[in-house]
Amino acid sequence: MIPSIRQAYNQQFTPARYADLLASLTVETGVTPAFRVAETPVFVPKALQEQLIAAGDAVIEVILRPDLTAITEAAIPKGQLVPKENHHAQFIIIDFAITRNEAGELAPQLIELQGFPSLFGFQELLARQYRRHTDVPDTYSTFGPGLDLQGYVELLRRCILGTHHPSNVILLEVMPQQQKTLIDFVCTEAMLGIPAVCVSDLIQEGKKLYYLRNGERVRVQRIYNRMISEDVAAHREQLGDIVNFQHELEVEWATHPNWYYRISKFLLPFIHGPFAPKAWFLHELPVLPQDLENYVLKPLFSFAGQGVIIDPTPADVEKIEDPENWILQQKVEYAAAIETPTGPAKCEIRLMYCWPDDAPAPILAQNLARLSKGKMIGVNYNRDLDWVGGSSCFFEP
C-alpha cells in the first residue's frame, strides 16, 4: 500500500526466500501451517492506520456501552448460556475490508467483530519471520501503539494467566491437534507455558476441573477459551461425554463463552459511522432493499465465513426459517490495493485487542491481514493462487 516499499519488496522477492520463511515457521514450532501464508506482509501507510484505529475506537465505544448486556441478551442461543459471566471479554477482534472511498483513497469498512481470541501467538512469530526473511523497514511494527515484544507478551500474560500460575491455566479447544490453528497453540505454549487441552480430556469433580500433565492431575483455575460451541456440536460423537459448561464451575474464563455471542455479528446493526456498512436484523426489515444484490446475508451463529450468502435473492430470503438469526449487511467492495507480481490482491485487516481484567478498556495489541484474489476473503479460499493467504501488517511509524 506504500508504493515505494511495495515496489522494492516485489523486486527483491524470490521463491527461495519465501520457502525459507515457511520452513522457519515449521522449524521453530514443529508444526507446518495448515493454512496458506502469503508471500508478503502488508505495509500500511500512516493515513490508513489512523483511520483503522479511529474506526476500531468507535466500535469499542459500542462495546463499552453500559447497557451492552441488556441489548445482547438475544445474542446467546438457547441452551448456550454459561454461568459466572465476567465483566468483559479479555479479547476482541475487529475485521475491516480495505476499500477506496469516493475520493479514491484507501479506507476501512467494518466486516466482522468477535469477543474471542485470534492468533495472538502465531502472529508474533509470523511478523518476526517476515522481518527475518524479507525486506521489512526496521522502524515498522505490527504491535499496537506503545507496545514492543516485551510489552506485548506481558499484556498477553495479564489477559490469559490473570493471577494464576501457568500450570493451572489451559488453552481449551476441540481436538486441538486437528485444528488448523494448532501452530498458534504451540506458539502460545512456548510464550506462556500453558498447554492445549481437548475438551474431552477435562476431568470434573464437583465444581472443580482438572487435566493430566505428565500423568498427574492438575487443577484448572483459568481457561484460555478457544472452544466454539458449534465445533463441539459438530464433533459430539467423537468427543463422547464432556463437561456441561451450562453448570456452574469453579473456573475463570478468558474469554467467557457468552462474550463470543454478545460481541459478534449481532452488534453490527448497532454500529454506525462512515466506516460501518448498513446492517439490519433480517426479521426487523419491513421491506427488502430493491438492490438486494448490493447486500450480503450472514447467519449470526456461524464462524469462518460458513453460511454466508454473498449474492442473495428474494428466494434466498424466503427460504430462511429463522430470520431473527440473520443479518442483512450492505456489501463492501474490496480495493485491489496490494500490487503483486501476479496481479493485484484485496486485503482485510484484523485489529486484535487485549483487555486485561484490571484495565478500563481494550488495548490494541496486534493485527492480522488476509490477502485474496477471489470473492471470499480468508485462508480457506484461494488455495490455488499465489500472493494470497494469512499475513501481517507492518504500520508506518
Side-chain angles (χ1 to χ4, degrees):
M1 296 182 188
I2 301 175
S4 59
I5 296 178
R6 171 52 53 203
Q7 187 174 23
Y9 184 95
N10 290 0
Q11 289 174 347
Q12 294 165 12
F13 173 85
T14 67
R17 297 176 81 175
Y18 177 56
D20 288 344
L21 165 69
L22 297 180
S24 67
L25 298 175
T26 301
V27 168
E28 181 157 341
T29 63
V31 177
T32 299
F35 48 85
R36 195 177 197 286
V37 173
E39 283 84 343
T40 180
V42 177
F43 303 106
V44 180
K46 193 73 173 178
L48 180 58
Q49 177 188 357
E50 290 172 351
Q51 289 185 71
L52 282 163
I53 291 176
D57 288 345
V59 174
I60 296 298
E61 282 185 19
V62 175
I63 293 171
L64 291 173
R65 281 177 55 162
D67 62 345
L68 182 69
T69 54
I71 66 174
T72 57
E73 280 304 305
I76 303 174
K78 189 176 180 180
Q80 294 297 330
L81 184 70
V82 174
K84 297 181 69 175
E85 182 179 317
N86 51 7
H87 296 298
H88 63 251
Q90 283 84 1
F91 298 97
I92 296 167
I93 58 175
I94 309 175
D95 291 339
F96 293 96
I98 302 307
T99 69
R100 290 196 183 275
N101 60 23
E102 293 180 356
E105 301 163 330
L106 295 175
Q109 287 288 293
L110 177 64
I111 296 296
E112 193 87 81
L113 70 161
Q114 283 186 335
F116 194 75
S118 189
L119 306 181
F120 282 90
F122 176 71
Q123 286 305 118
E124 185 281 320
L125 169 65
L126 179 59
R128 184 157 35 89
Q129 296 299 345
Y130 270 133
R131 193 180 291 281
R132 176 184 173 190
H133 292 284
T134 68
D135 298 293
V136 175
D138 291 341
T139 56
Y140 282 53
S141 174
T142 64
F143 298 121
L147 287 178
D148 57 12
L149 176 58
Q150 182 178 352
Y152 178 67
V153 173
E154 179 57 29
L155 187 57
L156 287 179
R157 189 179 304 278
R158 290 166 62 195
C159 285
I160 294 174
L161 301 183
T163 59
H164 300 286
H165 189 276
S167 64
N168 299 115
V169 181
I170 62 169
L171 185 158
L172 186 65
E173 181 51 291
V174 176
M175 298 186 292
Q177 295 298 318
Q178 299 180 33
Q179 293 289 341
K180 291 181 180 179
T181 48
L182 174 62
I183 193 168
D184 177 66
F185 307 160
V186 173
C187 291
T188 304
E189 182 168 12
M191 188 182 291
L192 301 177
I194 65 170
V197 175
C198 181
V199 61
S200 64
D201 291 333
L202 285 176
I203 302 166
Q204 182 177 356
E205 284 190 4
K207 294 183 179 181
K208 294 181 172 63
L209 295 178
Y210 300 85
Y211 73 104
L212 293 178
R213 189 165 195 167
N214 300 323
E216 295 187 6
R217 288 200 325 169
V218 181
R219 174 79 186 277
V220 178
Q221 295 178 316
R222 190 172 174 95
I223 293 173
Y224 177 39
N225 185 35
R226 300 295 295 269
M227 171 189 66
I228 296 174
S229 59
E230 290 94 335
D231 211 12
V232 174
H235 296 91
R236 176 62 70 179
E237 284 189 20
Q238 296 155 279
L239 295 172
D241 292 333
I242 61 171
V243 172
N244 186 342
F245 294 104
Q246 280 68 55
H247 293 169
E248 187 169 321
L249 300 167
E250 293 179 4
V251 68
E252 296 176 4
W253 293 91
T255 289
H256 191 283
N258 293 352
W259 289 111
Y260 172 75
Y261 297 107
R262 293 191 187 279
I263 301 174
S264 65
K265 289 186 284 288
F266 191 92
L267 276 185
L268 291 175
F270 296 93
I271 300 170
H272 308 285
F275 62 89
K278 295 177 182 177
W280 302 269
F281 294 109
L282 188 58
H283 71 292
E284 293 182 353
L285 266 177
V287 180
L288 289 176
Q290 290 188 346
D291 58 339
L292 194 57
E293 68 277 6
N294 292 323
Y295 293 82
V296 60
L297 271 172
K298 293 182 176 181
L300 290 176
F301 308 123
S302 70
F303 61 103
Q306 297 179 18
V308 173
I309 303 175
I310 295 180
D311 298 308
T313 65
D316 291 323
V317 177
E318 289 179 12
K319 293 176 186 176
I320 293 175
E321 298 178 356
D322 55 343
E324 70 279 4
N325 292 329
W326 290 73
I327 64 166
L328 186 70
Q329 186 180 25
Q330 194 173 24
K331 193 176 287 184
V332 169
E333 184 176 348
Y334 288 72
I338 312 288
E339 291 296 331
T340 84
T342 55
K346 298 177 287 189
C347 178
E348 190 169 283
I349 294 176
R350 169 171 292 178
L351 299 185
M352 298 159 56
Y353 295 80
C354 292
W355 194 353
D357 294 340
D358 57 353
I363 299 165
L364 178 58
Q366 186 58 273
N367 75 77
L368 179 155
R370 293 182 290 194
L371 306 186
S372 172
K373 294 180 180 178
K375 269 194 171 185
M376 293 291 283
I377 296 282
V379 293
N380 291 332
Y381 308 98
N382 305 280
R383 294 189 184 192
D384 56 341
L385 301 175
D386 57 11
W387 291 76
V388 298
S391 184
S392 294
C393 291
F394 285 89
F395 292 110
E396 183 180 18

